[in-house]
Amino acid sequence: MTSQPAPGPGPRARNRVFEGFRRAELLLADRRPLDALQALLPALESQPNDASVHLLAGRAYLDSAQLAKAEEAFCRVLELDPADHYARFALGKALQRQGRLGEAKGQLQMATVMDPRPEYQEALGEVRARIARITE
């Protein structure tokens, strides 16, 4: 007799997770990061290896100034998807806000090389300028 694997979450549970994720996106767009995190909890618990869930959580943590948690979430995204240029950019911003300018510069440089968006280049320029002022 062989044992059957435990069934995964049913359609209702999957639907609740999806709805929570979409609600979190809307709440974050509405500048309500703490509410977004609450809505995202089921997805974080049930989808621990989903980079998009951690990316959204990282954005909410960053917007609510929970910088260590934002850093952790963006690092998790990069573990799951090292080529995610936005996660590198956002990690750089979290590090910058913590005053860890050298680390921020490295992440922002990588993001800019991966995708030279103006906002990435601007953030890198800001960090370089702050470093230059400190070392003068």
Side-chain angles (χ1 to χ4, degrees):
M1 180 179 214
T2 61
S3 64
Q4 295 284 330
R12 279 192 184 172
R14 284 192 301 271
N15 197 35
R16 275 195 306 272
V17 168
F18 178 76
E19 287 173 3
F21 183 87
R22 291 296 175 218
R23 179 162 164 67
E25 286 181 317
L26 293 172
L27 288 164
L28 195 56
D30 205 24
R31 299 182 166 278
R32 295 173 53 193
L34 296 176
D35 292 331
L37 286 166
Q38 281 298 110
L40 197 57
L41 280 176
L44 282 168
E45 291 171 358
S46 68
Q47 305 296 318
N49 296 319
D50 188 325
S52 64
V53 172
H54 290 283
L55 189 64
L56 188 57
R59 290 176 48 215
Y61 287 129
L62 190 62
D63 287 357
S64 63
Q66 297 181 63
L67 303 177
K69 288 183 178 183
E71 177 184 350
E72 184 179 312
F74 295 130
C75 285
R76 179 67 177 137
V77 173
L78 292 171
E79 286 174 14
L80 296 167
D81 182 6
D84 189 318
H85 57 85
Y86 180 81
R88 291 205 181 276
F89 165 74
L91 176 57
K93 295 298 285 183
L95 293 167
Q96 177 186 7
R97 288 177 59 186
Q98 292 177 72
R100 294 162 55 192
L101 300 178
E103 293 171 83
K105 179 182 168 193
Q107 292 299 326
L108 292 169
Q109 282 176 321
M110 282 191 276
T112 301
V113 167
M114 294 166 87
D115 188 339
R117 295 176 184 213
E119 61 266 29
Y120 294 4
Q121 294 174 6
E122 184 179 321
L124 178 58
E126 289 172 10
V127 168
R128 285 179 172 157
R130 282 186 61 195
I131 290 171
R133 282 193 300 270
I134 291 169
T135 58
E136 287 180 344

